[in-house]
Amino acid sequence: MLPGILKGAIMAFLEFRNISKGYPGVQALSDVSFTVEKGAVHGLMGENGAGKSTLIRVLSGDQSADNGTIVIDGVEQKYSSVRDAFDAGVIVIHQELQLVPELTVAENLWLGRFPAKAGVIDAKELIETVRSKFREIGIDVDPAAKVSSLSIGARQMVEIAKAVMLDARVIALDEPTSSLSSRESEILFSLIGKLKAKGTVILYVSHRLDEIFRLCDSLTVLRDGKLAAHYPAIADVTRERIIAEMVGRAISNIWGWRKRPLGENRLKVKDLSGPKLRNPISFTVRKGEILGFFGLIGAGRSEMARLLYGADHRHQGSVTIDGVSVSPNSPRAAIGSGMVLCPEDRKLEGIIQGRSIEENIVISSRRHFSPLGILNTKREGALADQFIARLRVRTPSRKQDIINLSGGNQQKVILGRWLSEQGAKVLVIDEPTRGIDVGAKSEIYDILYDLAADGMAIIVISSELPEVMGISDRIIVMCQGRIAANIERDHFDEHNILTAALPDKSAASTS
């Protein structure tokens, strides 16, 4: 009998039967079986590398299982492509978005199925049809806009709208709220409720336990590619039990904040402004300090980080590290001055796709031990192995293509790149644990605490208020491109921080 099937139970609409999938050097899935009833929202949880993404790829037709079967509404599916899964009514919205940047929103939504009359596409009608649908489901995005001009959150809403418009029978959502504002998340939750009422099966992959308990009817937990637990009713499980099933151990305090002595000012920013941050801002970060930046989407946090790092052009302002000026508009100069950045968008701006884990780790630091341009492959390999072990990157080999890693492991590799950089003094990390499981979060926080203890000045930008409150020594709240509050840890208060972040209600203050 399959897990979750009881005598007299209603026949499951979606079934995974003994799914196994292996890659060279790693068994991603081993004999995974569970079921989901029609009209149910089913949570799928597990650490990064547990097999969630592989299972989703098998469901979408992007990968073929080595063994096992997927059954939808009693019909055994035999995919040979993503198109076959699409024709079966399956749509997967991946954490790494699949939109075409240079096409408009409307063109992306109709891609591959453009309505045409006598072979001619009416672009105006296309846009108006999408605009009408967006109005109906409550999405505020211009259908005529190029996807490249949209924020990550807006792009996520476009992906979700696409699934709704296609009237899918099974929708898999992989960390759907990771880039969404609170308002956008509420729109998504409303859409999920409507889809559920229509009988759509929602497979909801998330590390956010509050969302799992709010939305899901049932839950499956994977660990090391195997079925760790299956709960036909979400009411039958606790948060603590889920975490223990995910990581194989209890985690009592995910944040693990450590008090440490703070030194003199290491980073000084004065009157910094740019194209997307027009209100000049000033602040300092001390040696050993973790400074959190919080704000709603569009508040200017990521824009501030890019100006600091020289990725965007400064209009004005100065940045100094240990009293030495950092040249503007040059990431190379920022790195040379001791500043490193882990960007918000790992896929587009963090990892080097098509290259190995080893290359992604050593790409910046290799200049230190290859001064004549002759690669020292032995030292590079040893350095990569050192940080793969230290950061517990789950991979069969340092030669593995980084794109095959989970998002959490990709983030660890980016951190490894900068940890291997000699002379790094300031770390700016934007959304450090987006899409990362509970166990890996604790590991990343421990790394940040260790770096701070060694005197590094750290800026953490996060849209998750519990995270920024949990790990920061001080929080700067941004609103509409300006600093709205500067709060010491002893005065952290969730209500006051959120109030400061709200437009037109913020008042600059120092506690």
Side-chain angles (χ1 to χ4, degrees):
M1 184 180 296
L2 291 173
I5 298 183
L6 305 176
K7 290 183 179 179
I10 300 172
M11 178 65 70
F13 188 83
L14 172 65
E15 301 178 61
F16 294 94
R17 295 180 179 173
N18 309 111
I19 303 294
S20 295
K21 177 66 179 177
Y23 300 100
V26 63
Q27 187 65 33
L29 293 170
S30 299
D31 201 30
V32 173
S33 299
F34 65 91
T35 64
V36 186
E37 305 297 337
K38 186 174 184 179
V41 180
H42 186 82
L44 183 61
M45 301 193 75
E47 287 194 280
N48 291 107
K52 305 184 304 298
S53 295
T54 301
L55 188 67
I56 294 299
R57 290 190 188 106
V58 171
L59 174 65
S60 72
D62 183 50
Q63 298 279 338
S64 298
D66 298 332
N67 294 294
T69 304
I70 293 175
V71 178
I72 298 176
D73 199 14
V75 178
E76 184 175 315
Q77 304 299 313
K78 295 183 179 180
Y79 302 150
S80 59
S81 67
V82 173
R83 183 72 197 192
D84 291 340
F86 180 85
D87 291 341
V90 176
I91 292 181
V92 174
I93 300 175
H94 297 278
Q95 184 180 353
E96 305 293 354
L97 303 181
Q98 307 295 307
L99 300 171
V100 181
E102 293 310 308
L103 295 183
T104 67
V105 170
E107 288 167 339
N108 269 277
L109 291 176
W110 289 101
L111 195 61
R113 55 191 187 93
F114 287 107
K117 297 177 181 177
V120 178
I121 298 171
D122 188 333
K124 186 176 180 181
E125 181 181 350
L126 200 71
I127 290 171
E128 288 306 315
T129 300
V130 173
R131 181 171 283 119
S132 176
K133 189 64 178 181
F134 277 11
R135 195 178 300 118
E136 177 187 330
I137 61 181
I139 293 178
D140 185 19
V141 177
D142 181 7
K146 277 191 174 183
V147 164
S148 59
S149 70
L150 302 181
S151 68
I152 294 177
R155 296 182 199 189
Q156 183 76 289
M157 293 305 294
V158 172
E159 285 271 29
I160 292 163
K162 184 175 183 178
V164 174
M165 293 175 66
L166 289 171
D167 202 25
R169 297 195 297 167
V170 176
I171 300 176
L173 300 169
D174 189 359
E175 297 290 347
T177 62
S178 63
S179 303
L180 301 186
S181 66
S182 297
R183 176 181 172 277
E184 290 168 332
S185 294
E186 289 300 325
I187 293 172
L188 170 63
F189 299 157
S190 175
L191 288 175
I192 287 174
K194 293 175 183 176
L195 291 166
K196 178 178 175 180
K198 289 172 57 179
T200 307
V201 167
I202 307 290
L203 200 59
Y204 196 88
V205 183
S206 179
H207 293 116
R208 298 183 176 183
L209 284 166
D210 56 337
E211 294 178 8
I212 293 293
F213 279 98
R214 173 177 176 176
L215 299 172
C216 296
D217 304 293
S218 49
L219 175 70
T220 292
V221 180
L222 299 180
R223 185 171 70 246
D224 298 327
K226 299 176 182 177
L227 184 71
H230 177 81
Y231 300 96
I234 196 71
D236 294 339
V237 64
T238 64
R239 292 170 181 258
E240 293 74 20
R241 183 64 181 169
I242 292 173
I243 293 173
E245 294 286 9
M246 286 173 58
V247 303
R249 65 189 189 279
I251 295 180
S252 57
N253 181 4
I254 184 176
W255 313 118
W257 179 81
R258 311 169 192 168
K259 188 175 176 121
R260 71 197 78 83
L262 304 183
E264 60 190 16
N265 288 333
R266 166 144 272 178
L267 174 69
K268 290 185 180 181
V269 178
K270 184 173 176 58
D271 297 328
L272 183 69
S273 69
K276 297 180 181 178
L277 192 71
R278 297 182 180 176
N279 298 302
I281 65 170
S282 302
F283 62 92
T284 60
V285 191
R286 299 167 67 182
K287 291 181 180 179
E289 184 178 25
I290 298 178
L291 174 62
F293 269 78
F294 178 76
L296 306 179
I297 289 179
R301 301 162 303 158
S302 296
E303 290 78 5
M304 177 276 298
R306 291 179 60 83
L307 286 173
L308 275 182
Y309 192 61
D312 288 339
H313 180 78
R314 289 187 213 161
H315 283 168
Q316 67 176 55
S318 64
V319 177
T320 60
I321 297 176
D322 290 344
V324 179
S325 179
V326 179
S327 299
N329 316 322
S330 169
R332 182 185 294 272
I335 295 170
S337 300
M339 182 186 298
V340 294
L341 170 70
C342 294
E344 177 185 17
D345 194 326
R346 284 192 296 265
K347 183 177 179 181
L348 291 181
E349 299 178 333
I351 66 171
I352 305 171
Q353 297 187 52
R355 298 297 183 92
S356 68
I357 296 167
E358 176 182 331
E359 290 175 289
N360 270 271
I361 290 175
V362 305
I363 189 68
S364 178
S365 59
R366 66 176 14 153
R367 71 185 190 281
H368 297 300
F369 44 85
S370 301
L372 300 178
I374 301 172
L375 298 183
N376 188 328
T377 56
K378 185 176 180 179
R379 287 192 63 183
E380 289 188 359
L383 186 68
D385 284 340
Q386 175 188 339
F387 285 101
I388 287 170
R390 177 179 173 183
L391 302 178
R392 295 176 64 185
V393 178
R394 294 189 179 186
T395 176
S397 166
R398 66 174 182 265
K399 299 298 184 181
Q400 176 86 285
D401 191 325
I402 193 171
I403 201 65
N404 293 328
L405 296 185
S406 64
N409 282 305
Q410 289 178 3
Q411 183 73 305
K412 290 181 182 180
V413 170
I414 296 170
L415 269 172
R417 176 190 306 159
W418 298 130
L419 294 182
S420 69
E421 173 64 33
Q422 297 178 20
K425 300 175 181 178
V426 177
L427 168 65
V428 182
I429 184 164
D430 197 349
E431 300 293 356
T433 62
R434 172 172 288 166
I436 295 178
D437 61 78
V438 175
K441 282 184 179 182
S442 292
E443 294 170 0
I444 286 176
Y445 300 148
D446 284 340
I447 292 166
L448 296 181
Y449 300 143
D450 288 344
L451 292 173
D454 289 339
M456 186 175 284
I458 300 174
I459 294 175
V460 172
I461 301 168
S462 177
S463 55
E464 293 189 38
L465 183 53
E467 174 173 76
V468 80
M469 290 178 66
I471 67 173
S472 301
D473 303 304
R474 180 165 55 99
I475 295 174
I476 286 179
V477 184
M478 292 194 69
C479 178
Q480 296 180 318
R482 64 184 179 83
I483 292 177
N486 188 343
I487 308 170
E488 297 290 342
R489 186 174 182 88
D490 290 344
H491 298 281
F492 285 1
D493 178 89
E494 184 173 349
H495 178 267
N496 290 341
I497 292 172
L498 284 172
T499 300
L502 292 174
D504 302 322
K505 295 183 180 179
S506 303
S509 64
T510 302
S511 299

